[in-house]
Amino acid sequence: FCMINHLFSQPIWKTKLNLDAKVRDDLLQQIQLNYQQFPDYKHPNWNCNVHSTCAENNNLDYTQFIEYIVREYTNFSTLRSIKLHSYSITGPWYNYYLRSSNQELHTHGGDSKMYSGVYFLRLNDDHPKITFYNNSGSYLYYEAQQELSNLYDRNNPDHSNIFVSHVLDVKEDDFILFPAYLGHGVYIQNPYRDWE
């Protein structure tokens, strides 16, 4: 696991789920069948171009997958010294990115959500990764002082307060957990290649 404590001064939990091959293959098969059944469905209230089951057509069985998420949330809570509490994992859904797909900047705040999670079930190295956005405004000073911002490494999460956004380095099977109010999105996928 990896605790990233300094992404815009927000705690980000990043780990491998080490999803069992049978669970992974079953989930992939369910997603592919669901996509074949509803290939043109896009969320009606989103300003993006990605097939998603966030609002509808989410008839997948996530039961075995959720067990892995519960384990990681328990690890995260323990290491963050969060007081013992009851919680629920609600509304699991997937995004299925193809050529020219994207996910606009958004948050998952509201409805007493503390944290949101993303699992990267299938991900190639040249896929655009998840991008987090700096809501502190600290980057505005450095944007006006280019010679100062040039002193910092854009790829280092410890320096993320200097910049308007940070692309998190993630790989296939990574799971991240982050504050629900932290803005994030995915840039447009390569328009010249499909990601099957």
Side-chain angles (χ1 to χ4, degrees):
F1 72 89
C2 174
M3 180 65 76
I4 301 171
N5 285 314
H6 304 294
L7 185 66
F8 316 127
S9 301
Q10 306 302 316
I12 304 290
W13 175 259
K14 179 181 163 190
T15 188
K16 291 280 185 198
L17 275 193
N18 297 313
L19 204 61
D20 179 81
K22 185 179 181 309
V23 175
R24 181 184 186 277
D25 291 346
D26 178 63
L27 198 51
L28 274 172
Q29 184 177 26
Q30 288 185 73
I31 289 171
Q32 288 166 344
L33 289 172
N34 191 280
Y35 174 73
Q36 289 168 7
Q37 190 174 0
F38 308 103
D40 299 321
Y41 179 76
K42 308 285 189 290
H43 193 293
N45 300 322
W46 287 359
N47 184 23
C48 63
N49 182 26
V50 64
H51 168 77
S52 178
T53 58
C54 182
E56 296 179 32
N57 312 319
N58 197 16
N59 57 356
L60 280 69
D61 180 4
Y62 295 100
T63 307
Q64 290 183 298
F65 173 70
I66 293 295
E67 293 172 14
Y68 288 81
I69 304 302
V70 168
R71 180 193 68 202
E72 289 310 319
Y73 184 76
T74 301
N75 291 339
F76 169 77
S77 296
T78 301
L79 285 171
R80 290 292 297 168
S81 300
I82 299 173
K83 293 178 182 177
L84 190 62
H85 60 286
S86 62
Y87 66 90
S88 61
I89 297 173
T90 58
W93 47 275
Y94 72 79
N95 279 2
Y96 190 88
Y97 291 90
L98 294 169
R99 182 171 55 196
S100 299
S101 296
N102 74 299
Q103 174 75 66
E104 82 277 23
L105 169 64
H106 64 284
T107 67
H108 297 173
D111 298 331
S112 300
K113 292 182 181 78
M114 287 189 356
Y115 294 99
S116 292
V118 176
Y119 176 66
F120 300 91
L121 181 62
R122 179 177 278 177
L123 184 70
N124 295 328
D125 285 341
D126 47 358
H127 273 128
K129 307 295 192 283
I130 190 168
T131 299
F132 287 93
Y133 293 87
N134 186 348
N135 59 5
S136 74
S138 59
Y139 65 90
L140 294 171
Y141 174 77
Y142 291 93
E143 278 186 346
Q145 308 289 331
Q146 190 66 46
E147 67 278 2
L148 293 181
S149 65
N150 288 340
L151 299 174
Y152 295 90
D153 178 4
R154 175 174 283 283
N155 297 317
N156 185 339
D158 289 345
H159 299 169
S160 57
N161 268 343
I162 307 304
F163 303 101
V164 68
S165 64
H166 179 80
V167 178
L168 195 63
D169 182 27
V170 290
K171 306 288 184 197
E172 194 168 283
D173 193 49
D174 279 352
F175 172 69
I176 57 174
L177 193 63
F178 53 92
Y181 58 79
L182 193 57
H184 57 286
V186 176
Y187 288 125
I188 293 175
Q189 305 293 305
N190 187 330
Y192 305 108
R193 178 174 173 189
D194 275 331
W195 303 112
E196 292 299 326

